[in-house]
Amino acid sequence: MKTECIKKVEAFVKAELGQDATGHDWHHINRVRKMALYIWEKDHLNADPFIIEMAALLHDIPDEKLNESEAAGLLKLQTFLDRLNLEETIKQQIIEITTTISFKGGRKLELQSLEAKIVQDADRLDALGAIGIARAFAYGGKKGQTIYEPCIEVRNEMTNEQYRNGRSTSINHFYEKLLKLKDGLHTYSAKQIAEKRHQYMVKFLQVFYNEWNGQA
Ligand code: ADP
Ligand code: NI
């Protein structure tokens, strides 16, 4: 029953996000799913692996930036969940997790469940390291922002609207979000993995500036 349910979710998510070119494609979803389950197992966390897997698979479905609006995203998720034969409480847990874990310019929402913390950690790890770097430039390019523009300053505080639509660059995004992520993680394993990926990004930025400044 659960395996069948997961299969239906996989098919739905592939159909919805398979062609996404902003870094929210099926492979991102699949990495987040695997990483979330890895953290759960490695840290021996007392959380429900079915909820973790379902929420990880569906975490980008209601995202406002991938939908017409926040309400449209939520409706899409709810309509799909209604087609599965799930208990109401399980459905509510999945909706709760997938609608609260987004970064949105740094706003700190206190996450309610351990499952939410695990999925959020896994999603954030995918924004770090080599893959995180690739995703930042893919997202930035698709949005029409430049790789780097020294005249555009890094923003410290911003509203969700500014975070989504304000003028920035992909290099600035490292300071506005990516380098802050490791300090907001919840689980032991995620913190360990983040440390390595963080250092790799710091190194990347050093090399980037060296080349920018004409170093051979
Ligand atoms: P969240 O919704 O939690 O803020 P996103 O879904 O926006 O996270 O982030 C998805 C990916 O897109 C991440 O790898 C993130 O770094 C990247 N991204 C988001 N906004 C920008 C931006 N303005 N410039 C470059 N990359 C971005
Ligand atoms: Ni994601």
Side-chain angles (χ1 to χ4, degrees):
M1 155 68 198
K2 280 183 179 171
T3 326
E4 225 168 79
C5 185
I6 296 283
K7 285 215 156 38
K8 281 185 195 160
V9 178
E10 285 174 352
F12 172 69
V13 174
K14 273 183 195 165
E16 286 291 326
L17 299 172
Q19 301 306 311
D20 178 272
T22 65
H24 300 84
D25 53 288
W26 162 251
H27 299 287
H28 161 66
I29 305 298
N30 202 24
R31 285 192 301 271
V32 172
R33 178 241 302 250
K34 286 186 187 158
M35 182 60 84
L37 290 171
Y38 170 84
I39 293 169
W40 166 72
E41 203 172 359
K42 187 101 203 305
D43 288 6
H44 306 291
L45 297 170
N46 185 16
D48 181 339
F50 178 65
I51 300 282
I52 293 173
E53 189 164 7
M54 289 287 282
L57 285 170
L58 290 164
H59 82 269
D60 274 333
I61 292 294
D63 194 319
E64 64 174 333
K65 69 181 173 309
L66 302 175
N67 288 285
E68 294 271 319
S69 64
E70 202 172 332
L74 182 60
L75 186 65
K76 186 194 282 175
L77 176 68
Q78 280 171 330
T79 310
F80 173 69
L81 287 175
D82 285 341
R83 280 171 32 206
L84 305 173
N85 244 338
L86 294 171
E87 278 171 39
E88 193 55 34
T89 51
I90 292 189
K91 225 166 65 185
Q92 287 315 318
Q93 282 180 76
I94 294 168
I95 291 172
E96 156 92 23
I97 297 171
T98 54
T99 51
T100 50
I101 62 169
S102 176
F103 181 78
K104 292 193 177 152
R107 242 150 312 298
K108 287 206 171 64
L109 256 177
E110 196 58 49
L111 293 182
Q112 298 304 319
S113 66
L114 187 50
E115 287 83 358
K117 292 176 183 172
I118 294 170
V119 176
Q120 185 180 67
D121 278 8
D123 191 27
R124 290 185 168 178
L125 284 177
D126 212 54
L128 302 181
I131 287 188
I133 294 170
R135 291 181 72 220
F137 292 106
Y139 186 102
K142 182 86 182 177
K143 250 184 60 168
Q145 79 189 11
T146 57
I147 294 173
Y148 182 44
E149 173 48 67
C151 308
I152 302 180
E153 284 185 22
V154 169
R155 303 164 297 176
N156 285 318
E157 293 289 324
M158 57 206 137
T159 61
N160 189 33
E161 168 60 23
Q162 287 164 335
Y163 173 63
R164 288 289 175 225
N165 302 317
R167 192 158 175 250
S168 189
T169 71
S170 294
I171 286 291
N172 283 11
H173 185 65
F174 284 76
Y175 303 95
E176 293 175 355
K177 173 178 173 185
L178 304 182
L179 295 173
K180 294 178 182 171
L181 288 178
K182 81 172 171 60
D183 293 329
L185 296 171
H186 312 278
T187 63
Y188 178 78
S189 285
K191 286 177 194 169
Q192 297 246 301
I193 298 167
E195 209 52 60
K196 251 179 34 199
R197 295 187 181 185
H198 183 95
Q199 288 317 319
Y200 184 73
M201 293 194 301
V202 170
K203 182 76 197 156
F204 166 79
L205 289 168
Q206 279 168 3
V207 176
F208 183 93
Y209 296 126
N210 287 345
E211 293 179 9
W212 186 274
N213 293 322
Q215 203 177 77

